[in-house]
Amino acid sequence: MDTESTTVRALVPRAAVSRITRRSFLAGIGVTVAGLAVTACGGDKTIAPSKPLSDDVEGQLNYYSWGDYEDPADLDAYRDKFGVRLQVDAFGSNEEMIAKLAAARGTSGYDVIVPTGVYIPQMVAHGLLDELDHSRIPNLANLEERFFNPPWNPQSRHAACKNWGTTGFMYLKSLTDKTPTSWADFISLARGPAKGKVSVVEDPWEVVSIAMGAMNIDPNTTDAKSLSAARNILVNQLAPTIQGYNSSITSIVSGGSYSLLQAWNGDARLTLMNESDPDRWGFVYPLPTANLFTDNFAIVRGTQHPGAAYAFINHMLDPEVSFRELQYIGYQTGVKGMAEKGKAADLPYPELLFPSDEIVDRLVVATVDSATQERTEILNQMQARSAR
C-alpha cells in the first residue's frame, strides 16, 4: 500500500451507514460462534505468541473492524501522531471474524479487532485474545464503571469498550392516545392498530426478548416452559401482524408501510433525523428490560505490533476522539462526560444517544447459551408464519 496516497483502507463506503449495517449482521447471534472457534482450533490448538511488548510503537497496525465504524479523521490523527501505516479491513459478522482468527491460530496478521461483548468469553477461552496491559492504556480510566467492569469482561481484562447501545421500538403517535411503555404494549399495538405494519429486527435473541419482556421473564432464560410460552406468543400472536423483519430501518420508514418498529436506539435516531415529520413518531425504551450490547477493542493473540495496538486503543479512548466517534457513528462510547458534551453541542435527539441511568440500569446483556438454537428456530418459525 502506498502510504503517500492512502494509509487507511476501508472496505465499506460511508453511504452504507456503518452502525446499521453492522447491527444487521447480528441475526443468529451466537448460533455458530462456539462451534466455529472449537472447530477451527481443532487438532493443533497452539496459538502463535504475540511479539514481546517494548516501549516502541511499531510503524504498522492492522485493524479488523466493522465496515465504516470509525471516523476517518480519528484514524488519520492516529496515523499522523505515531507515524503508523494503518490498514483497516472490514468483517460482516462476529462469526466471520472469529473463524478467521481461530483458523489462523495467531498468524492472521491482525493486531486490534472489534468483537461484540457477548463473544469475548468464548474468544478468551480459545486463546484468541491477549490480556490487556492497563499501564499502556491510561485512557481506560475514562470509561464509565459499568463499561470498564462488565460481568463478561471483568476489569476490562481482555477488551475495552468502543461503543454501546440498546433496543426499543418506534411507533406512530397516531396509533394510540396512551404512551406505550413496555413490550406488552408493543404486542398490544401490533395486534391492534398497527397490525400488518409491524417490523422486528432479524435477530433471534432480540425478537424472543419481546415475548419474555411481555411475560416479565428474564430474556436470557433457558427454561423450556418459558421458551415454549414465548414461542406461542411470537408465532401465533405476533408473527401474523408482521410485515417485515428489518435490522436496518432508515430506508423503510418514510414510505409509510410501517407504523410500529423494533429498533436499536442509534438506528432510530438516524431514522428520525432523516424524517420530514419526525414529531409524529415516538420511541420507547420498553419495560421491563432490553439488550445492552457493546462492541470492544481487543488485541489479537499473535499480534506483531503490540506497541502500535496499545497506542491505537489509548488514542480512541481519548475524550475528544471519543466524542467525534459518537457523532460519526451515532452510538455512545462508554467514555465519561459524553452526555455533557452532547448537550453543550446541542446534538439532535439526545435522549436516543444518552439513555438515562435509570434505563441503562435495567438493561441486560444477551448471552450465548443452551437456548440460542431454540431462539433461532422460533424466529425461523415466525418468518414462515408471517409469509403466509
Side-chain angles (χ1 to χ4, degrees):
M1 184 179 299
D2 181 2
T3 57
E4 293 300 316
S5 60
T6 177
T7 54
V8 177
R9 180 164 63 88
L11 302 185
V12 178
R14 174 64 184 150
V17 188
S18 62
R19 196 49 163 112
I20 297 172
T21 301
R22 173 256 177 283
R23 291 303 302 170
S24 70
F25 277 102
L26 291 185
I29 184 170
V31 175
T32 59
V33 61
L36 282 171
V38 173
T39 301
C41 288
D44 181 9
K45 295 182 173 61
T46 302
I47 305 293
S50 298
K51 177 183 175 182
L53 185 60
S54 69
D55 292 334
D56 296 332
V57 174
E58 301 86 2
Q60 176 75 32
L61 182 77
N62 300 319
Y63 182 49
Y64 199 25
S65 182
W66 304 88
D68 195 28
Y69 200 24
E70 296 78 20
D71 187 335
D74 292 327
L75 300 182
D76 286 343
Y78 164 76
R79 175 205 66 190
D80 294 341
K81 180 176 180 179
F82 294 99
V84 171
R85 181 175 182 266
L86 176 61
Q87 177 167 313
V88 181
D89 289 345
F91 55 81
S93 69
N94 282 282
E95 291 88 349
E96 174 190 341
M97 176 266 294
I98 292 170
K100 179 176 287 189
L101 297 184
R105 299 190 184 94
T107 63
S108 68
Y110 293 114
D111 303 302
V112 178
I113 57 172
V114 184
T116 301
V118 68
Y119 291 83
I120 287 176
Q122 287 82 2
M123 298 182 74
V124 171
H126 292 289
L128 300 180
L129 302 179
D130 270 350
E131 185 172 338
L132 297 181
D133 180 346
H134 287 196
S135 70
R136 301 299 294 264
I137 317 174
N139 281 334
L140 272 175
N142 296 328
L143 288 177
E144 297 178 36
E145 176 62 21
R146 75 172 84 243
F147 299 109
F148 175 77
N149 190 32
W152 41 265
N153 181 34
Q155 298 294 306
S156 293
R157 185 173 180 179
H158 289 94
C161 180
K162 179 187 187 298
N163 294 98
W164 66 272
T166 186
T167 317
F169 63 86
M170 291 177 59
Y171 70 99
L172 276 179
K173 295 177 181 177
S174 59
L175 291 177
T176 177
D177 294 331
K178 301 178 180 180
T179 301
T181 61
S182 66
W183 288 120
D185 291 338
F186 179 91
I187 293 175
S188 179
L189 289 172
R191 300 184 70 193
K195 186 174 183 179
K197 291 190 172 184
V198 179
S199 171
V200 296
V201 300
E202 197 173 10
D203 182 305
W205 192 96
E206 297 283 13
V207 173
V208 174
S209 72
I210 296 173
M212 293 302 181
M215 296 185 292
N216 201 29
I217 295 173
D218 179 358
N220 283 319
T221 185
T222 60
D223 176 68
K225 290 184 178 179
S226 297
L227 288 164
S228 177
R231 184 188 297 267
N232 179 59
I233 291 172
L234 294 169
V235 174
N236 296 322
Q237 298 180 30
L238 186 59
T241 76
I242 294 174
Q243 177 171 320
Y245 294 79
N246 302 287
S247 293
S248 176
I249 65 170
T250 55
S251 62
I252 66 172
V253 169
S254 60
S257 298
Y258 293 93
S259 59
L260 180 67
L261 305 96
Q262 185 187 27
W264 290 292
N265 61 310
D267 293 14
R269 177 176 177 268
L270 183 57
T271 299
L272 292 177
M273 290 172 65
N274 292 331
E275 274 288 284
S276 59
D277 186 12
D279 291 341
R280 65 194 182 114
W281 291 96
F283 182 83
V284 177
Y285 291 107
L287 295 166
T289 190
N291 187 17
L292 173 63
F293 60 82
T294 64
D295 290 327
N296 306 267
F297 298 113
I299 295 180
V300 179
R301 177 73 57 81
T303 174
Q304 296 304 294
H305 310 107
Y310 279 108
F312 178 78
I313 295 174
N314 194 59
H315 168 76
M316 297 299 281
L317 294 180
D318 176 87
E320 296 304 321
V321 174
S322 184
F323 187 59
R324 289 195 296 269
E325 289 293 297
L326 178 151
Q327 295 176 83
Y328 185 83
I329 300 164
Y331 279 83
Q332 259 274 37
T333 64
V335 168
K336 301 171 187 174
M338 292 299 103
E340 292 78 7
K341 286 181 175 291
K343 183 177 180 180
D346 197 24
L347 297 182
Y349 303 103
E351 69 279 5
L352 290 177
L353 268 177
F354 311 108
S356 68
D357 287 342
E358 179 184 3
I359 291 170
V360 180
D361 286 343
R362 59 178 165 82
L363 302 178
V364 299
V365 177
T367 59
V368 176
D369 52 39
S370 60
T372 296
Q373 183 61 42
E374 184 166 357
R375 295 187 192 102
T376 302
E377 293 170 356
I378 290 172
L379 178 60
N380 291 340
Q381 193 174 354
M382 288 177 66
Q383 291 173 319
R385 179 69 183 271
S386 298
R388 293 179 186 174

